[in-house]
Amino acid sequence: MWLTRSLNRLALLQLLLLQLLWLSPAAAKKDKPEISSHQLDNRPTNFFYFDDSNTILLLDREAGLVQRSEDAGKTWDKVDIEDGKAWDLWRHPHDNQKAYIMGRHSTHWHTNDQGKTWHDFEIPNARPSLSRAPLAFHAEDSDKILIHGAVCRIGGLIDCKEVTFYTKDGFEKVAKLRENTRGCVFAHATPEFRTGDDDKNDDRVICVTTGRISFDPREHRLAVSDNFFENEEEPNLEGGRTVQGIVNIAVVKGYIVAAAKAPNTDELAMYVTDDASTWHRAVFPSDSRVKEDAYTVLESTSYSIEVDVMTVDPPNSMGVLFTSNSNGTYFTKNIEHTNRNAHGIADFEKVQNIQGILLVNVVDNWKDVEASFGREEKRLKSRISFDDGRTFQDLTTDDKSLHLHSVSEMNNVGRVFSSPAPGLVMGVGNTGKDLKAYEEGDLYVSIDAGLTWAKALEEAHKYEFGDQGSILVAINDEEPTDVIRYSLNYGEDWHKVDLPGGKIRPEALTTTPDSTSMKFFLWGVKGGGSRAEHWVFSIDFEDMHEDKCTEKDFQEWTARVDKDGKAICVMGRKQSYRRRKPEADCFIREKKFEEIEPDFEKCKCTKEDFECDYNFVRSKDRKECVRNGPLPDPKGLCKGNAKNYKASSGFRKIPGNGCEGGEILDEEIERDCEDTLKPIVSGEISTERTAFPGQSFRGYFYLERTESSSGSDKANKDETVVMRTDNSKVYMTRDHGKTWDEVLKGKEIKDIYPHPHFNDVCYFITPSKEVHYTINRGDTFASFKAESEPTRDHDLQALAFHADYKDWLIWTGAVDCDKGGNCHNDAWYSTDRGSHWQDLRHVVRKCEFIKEEGRGERKKLVYCEQFKDEKLGGPLELQASDNWFADYTTPFKSIVDFATMSEFIIVATKDQSDGDSLKVDASVDGQTFADALFPSNFKVPIQKAYTVLDSHTHAVFMHVTVGNQKDAEYGSIIKSNSNGTSYVLSLDKVNRNTPGYVDFEKMLGLEGVALVNVVANTEEAEKGSGKKLKTMITHNDGAEWSLIKAPQNDPEGKSYECKTDNIADCSLHLHGYTERRDPRDVFSSPSAVGLMMAVGNVGEYLTAKSEKTSDTFITRDGGVEWQAVKKGNYMWEYGDQGSIIVIVRDTVATDEVLYSLDEGREWMSYKFSDKKVNVAILSTVPSDNSLNFLLWGREEDSDSEIVTFNLDFSQLKERSKQCNLDENDPESDDSDYYLWEPKHPSQPNNCLFGHIAQYHRKKPESNCFNGRSIQHLHKIASNCECTRSDFECDYNYEPAKTGSCVLVGGQEPPDHSQVCKKDPDKMSYFLPTGYRRIPLSTCEGGNELEKYESKEVPCRGHEKDFEEAHRGLGGFWIFILGVVLPVCIASAVGYWVWLNWHGKFGSIRLGDAGSPFDADRPWIKYPVAAVSGIVAVLAAVPLLLGSLWRWGSGMFGGGRRYTTRGSFARGRGDYAVVDEDELLGEDEDEEV
């Protein structure tokens, strides 16, 4: 009994204790969340949660520190790194333990335990890249990371070179991956991407890199490596070819996407791979074009890519949404007029974790926005799709349309609408016709993945999901508040809770990425301006009284249902989730941060589960898949008499689709063996004749489709030409002249202006204010009204164009015209292709945009030539403005003209110090001009002229007229240094004609080769005798010129009358630029490297062009050796990058053309007409990459018609298959190419400009076509030692007859100390020697003539550094090096001279063309009397003692010269079109 009582008392005591414990504050459950606050010192720059944890890292960049919280923001600690050094903060996207702090310079930190501990690492001599994300991650191995860095000079701010580094062991070691990168990624950068079935290329890295020897973005390429760039390859992207102009690369789910841009277009080509090995070009619908900076790769799926393509430019831009098939090759249009912001962010978001549901905003008034070029304010409507974008419908609430603010105007962090909480979607918006301002919106919620919506709270709120959706939190986002709201039943009811510390303006509300946490993080601002305080809050629901949910509190929710509520299939499966019931009074309280996984039920297959197989496309009714190319080789199944074989039905099941049974569309079917045959070729050339009424052609222009333009495959390849006749009618062909259509009927067109920077755009000028144009190569035409009639100055264009913005125009028009037709010009500008015009300047001669490479970001920079005080006849002022002349500067008060050439701007002005001379100033940035220093004895009278010839080799070639007597004009060619300011004489007595054009021609596609005609009898010519011309050639960019060695035999194999071994009296002379009818008819082509054709004769002088005295010649090695191919005068064109050459008689009626398939070795005849035709022009596309040609002329018996003949060589059997080129092994056994090395004719090796360059050349005997343009330059094999050919005469020096450079009498050497001002880090410079390096040369060591026998002196301010770097040698070494070594060397030299002198005595100087010696060998720089070794010793000792004296005095040497090259031989289709502005100052009566 006692025991029983004792036990009862004990039980009662325990019960009382439990009750007391329950009633204590620590154990009592709460009815609202716990909120704690923490003040920050500065505005946070970045913060994030680690996945599956409550740990937050926060970056304070202003203080250079990172803070850490383990309890979702309740308490904070500073992480243990060096104070003030943190600059950026990154979370590893695939490892929730790792994060990275990037410092400002080379030291950085990483953590492997969510920030508890940190370890430093360094990027050697580099800082993180500022132009792209500094880190790129591997999805499978989190220790493998790529680091994008920059190695910079001058304080680490400018002259930066991008370098990528890598680590394989989590930063235990960091090594250099590759220099000159523009972004790199691991192929396995996402969990979904696989590099093959076995992932054998798991370390594959893909980089965008600069060109092989150029930093020009047009030559950027892809490089791939599987061993961290110990070796690399360039992948073939299209048509078996590599592609240049890569602008970006990204990994999207299971795809890698690269974008490329060709010159002269703003259209991009997209390339896709799903295995990092095989690439395909993405094909968009024919009416859709992907433009530069105008596409956005959106959140995609594992079975398709979503892309939004801009159709209307900012500020109110719009786009079109496309979805790809499963391998990313074919895109279909989903919805048009999608909303985008100025940064390219499109209003598009998928509902998270549910397949096929996506929300977009579209522009309702899209017609008005398009018509206004984006100026009209957009009216937006929200749309939702439940079938992966195939169809869209309105969002609705209470039968009203609902519109929500989306991704383009982010008002919180993270996703906008949804989270992993199944089916729950929230957004801020309004009902009505369209979307209103954010402040006019309310908070709406949907619990069925967007099918239906209900208003949750009045006014706009930031919002977040927690505890898998059982908790919704919101805070007012329209005004400062001290209240948060939360809902525990999916937004049906809301509760309030006060924030401690007063009102804040919320900046961000978030939680863990998987939305499973019951803790939330809020950041807000109190006050404003300099008094703003930044506070963070932890909002914790864990201690609230709701119980943990049990099985009865859950329901099965089907993700996708039809209108009747029945589950539907997506990707062959029905998707459902287990989620909490809305009315359940409980929390899920998942402690492991586990995301909710869906349940799947397989469906039977339907047509929706299949897509078209490769080389098949949907039929017009979208029901079938039809062939779009030849089928794959059936692997021997069609051998013998076999007629059929099993092959693809055209359908394939979408990869990843889980359907079973039902419709089976991908079973192989019987196919005809003929389906595998390649297109049958006739083996014949075809001709199409078209006649036009008229007397002559007044102009024709190719609107050539670039290789990144849509429709670039061979089958859909358009070759568009527009043409104007003498009766002002315009015709257009899309198939290179096979068929023509008259366009703009009834309109009088006086001029055609193709856009010089965008091939798709062309303007048609009428005599009135009306201007017509096309922006899509003639697909459609539109028009605008200018502010006046076009200018009546015949040497000016009415329109000027911007290099980057194709809709920016300047109109120069005739104003205040009197009865006699006398007017002045005013200028206007438009930024919307003529829809609106604004005044620019009055009483001008011309205005131009000044936007070219290297001129910075002053995109609005415009130059105008305005008459002073707006009075005609007054001096022309050059005015410059970069804000549409809201204000401007006047760099020059009196100019003759200006010209823009490549990176240079050249201005011709009147020399104020000498009224009879012109003066030239040059600029490379459009802002700062410097006097162009001519040789001091070089004066140019005002009635003479400059002609700017070329500047593509980083130097200006200018012709200065010396003799200006009519029909006896000639002048001198001078060449500048790399900034266009210091000129030296290159060659004198160069021929020009009365209009000012010069017989000067650069070889296209090959650096440094040019030809000129010189007047050999200038004195006689000025007295009335005719000019006697000789042709000369340079192989080193004008440093040296020589006559052209004549071929041994004429076209018939006979010897020429003169002796070809006497080059002074018997050389090859060619008719040049001044005799051309069309300036586009050039000797060479950039796509046919090494080939030139010309008409001329062999003899002492160039004879008149005639059938009897002229022959047609060809060179295949860049002008070194020439061959006579045909008697008489011929016109020529190159096709298919030189694999076919077509020639036709010039000035003689003919009915045949000749063509060659082996670079002119053999010629075949083709009769194109039954009548004789006087052919005026032979043409093809400017890139010379077509197998079609056009003949323009008149038939002999016609006086009222003109004709064109299309010649199509694409059906030739010899050109029926594509040539094989492997960039990584270009000379393999099965290659159709070889590597060709150009050379200087006087060089013993193939060095040219200090390096050996290797070019791809098609083997002449290979019967195939080139197809897509080849990047002809394969690589620079090596740099060479410097020789005389790498140098030209310095300023105030000129070539002597011997070829050496001598100081002009009475002149001073140039001041080389200027290099110190340009480069503050430069320690020293060399005093002038008379030589300066050719800007193109990259030679190293050898005979560096700019240093040879020169004194090295320190730059001002670097004297101490210079002295420390040049300490002297001891006396013993001076004796050894200064006496013993010279004697030994000189004895050997003397013996060599004795063996090789061949009995010739006398002095030998640099450049002596008659010497059998190599004049560039060091011991032959000075005269030596080669009688014995003693004489050689006497000559050599002073030379070496001089060097040793410099060494012993601390003045010797210098490092390797660093030379940057923008481009070596850019064989990319540069048009050789004459710019009228090249002629400067040609106006004898002009008073300036």
Side-chain angles (χ1 to χ4, degrees), residues 212-213 1223 1253-1256 1271-1276 1464-1465:
R212 296 185 188 278
I213 53 173
E1223 288 272 5
Q1254 295 180 330
Y1255 293 82
H1256 298 128
Q1271 181 73 359
H1272 283 281
L1273 181 64
H1274 176 65
K1275 68 176 182 178
I1276 297 299
F1464 296 118

Side-chain angles (χ1 to χ4, degrees), residues 40 136 268 344 739 960 1177 1200 1389 1414:
L40 302 175
L268 294 177
T739 58
V960 184
I1177 301 168
S1200 61
V1389 169
D1414 181 350

Side-chain angles (χ1 to χ4, degrees), residues 265 655 786 965 1103 1273 1304 1306:
T265 184
Q965 184 172 316
T1103 61
L1273 181 64
V1304 176

Side-chain angles (χ1 to χ4, degrees), residues 198-379:
D198 55 0
D199 267 349
K200 64 179 180 180
N201 299 324
D202 194 55
D203 284 341
R204 177 159 291 187
V205 175
I206 305 175
C207 293
V208 179
T209 72
T210 59
R212 296 185 188 278
I213 53 173
S214 168
F215 295 105
D216 190 325
R218 292 170 290 190
E219 296 177 21
H220 288 179
R221 60 192 184 93
L222 285 186
V224 178
S225 177
D226 292 324
N227 54 14
F228 295 97
F229 283 86
E230 290 181 18
N231 308 101
E232 69 177 64
E233 294 185 353
E234 186 173 2
N236 292 331
L237 300 188
E238 181 178 7
R241 296 282 186 268
T242 60
V243 173
Q244 280 67 52
I246 304 295
V247 297
N248 203 358
I249 186 171
V251 184
V252 184
K253 294 284 188 178
Y255 308 91
I256 301 176
V257 180
K261 177 182 175 293
N264 297 100
T265 184
D266 60 352
E267 193 171 351
L268 294 177
M270 284 181 58
Y271 299 92
V272 180
T273 179
D274 56 7
D275 61 4
S277 297
T278 304
W279 293 77
H280 303 288
R281 178 165 178 167
V283 179
F284 288 81
S286 59
D287 61 346
S288 303
R289 300 180 178 184
V290 181
K291 297 181 180 179
E292 184 181 22
D293 298 327
Y295 75 100
T296 305
V297 180
L298 303 168
E299 179 187 10
S300 301
T301 68
S302 58
Y303 52 86
S304 67
I305 305 173
E306 311 280 355
V307 176
D308 189 81
V309 177
M310 186 173 72
T311 56
V312 174
D313 294 337
N316 290 321
S317 56
M318 300 187 302
V320 179
L321 177 63
F322 294 92
T323 300
S324 77
N325 61 347
S326 66
N327 66 6
T329 54
Y330 291 102
F331 283 77
T332 55
K333 187 183 299 182
N334 282 353
I335 189 169
E336 295 184 280
H337 320 306
T338 52
N339 182 52
R340 301 165 57 92
N341 65 17
H343 303 290
I345 298 174
D347 278 347
F348 171 97
E349 185 173 291
K350 290 180 176 290
V351 173
Q352 195 170 359
N353 282 358
I354 301 178
Q355 289 182 331
I357 302 179
L358 54 95
L359 294 94
V360 299
N361 280 346
V362 297
V363 180
D364 190 40
N365 60 329
W366 58 270
K367 288 185 179 179
D368 296 333
V369 175
E370 283 185 347
S372 70
F373 286 86
R375 281 184 165 83
E376 181 77 14
E377 196 68 30
K378 293 182 288 189
R379 296 198 300 271

Side-chain angles (χ1 to χ4, degrees), residues 1082-1126:
V1082 293
F1083 290 164
S1084 57
S1085 167
S1087 67
V1089 176
L1091 296 181
M1092 280 194 288
M1093 292 195 72
V1095 172
N1097 61 274
V1098 171
E1100 186 176 3
Y1101 303 109
L1102 181 66
T1103 61
K1105 199 173 185 180
S1106 71
E1107 284 297 304
K1108 291 184 179 180
T1109 61
S1110 300
D1111 295 334
T1112 301
F1113 298 86
I1114 192 171
T1115 178
R1116 305 179 188 91
D1117 57 8
V1120 178
E1121 299 287 341
W1122 291 77
Q1123 175 189 346
V1125 293
K1126 289 295 173 184

Side-chain angles (χ1 to χ4, degrees), residues 6 70 81 291 425 453 645 726 821 911 1085 1364:
S6 297
E70 288 189 346
I81 67 166
K291 297 181 180 179
V425 187
W453 295 77
Y645 72 104
D726 59 342
D911 190 341
S1085 167
E1364 291 178 358

Side-chain angles (χ1 to χ4, degrees), residues 39 160 257 591 621 742 779 1029 1199 1204 1268 1364 1425 1485:
Q39 185 176 0
C160 296
V257 180
K591 297 295 185 183
D621 60 7
E742 185 180 353
D779 285 348
L1029 305 181
D1199 58 4
T1204 62
R1268 183 183 175 88
E1364 291 178 358
D1485 301 322

Side-chain angles (χ1 to χ4, degrees), residues 408-429:
S408 65
E409 48 173 332
M410 292 285 288
N411 293 290
N412 200 5
V413 295
R415 301 177 69 86
V416 174
F417 299 118
S418 63
S419 77
L424 293 182
V425 187
M426 286 198 287
V428 172

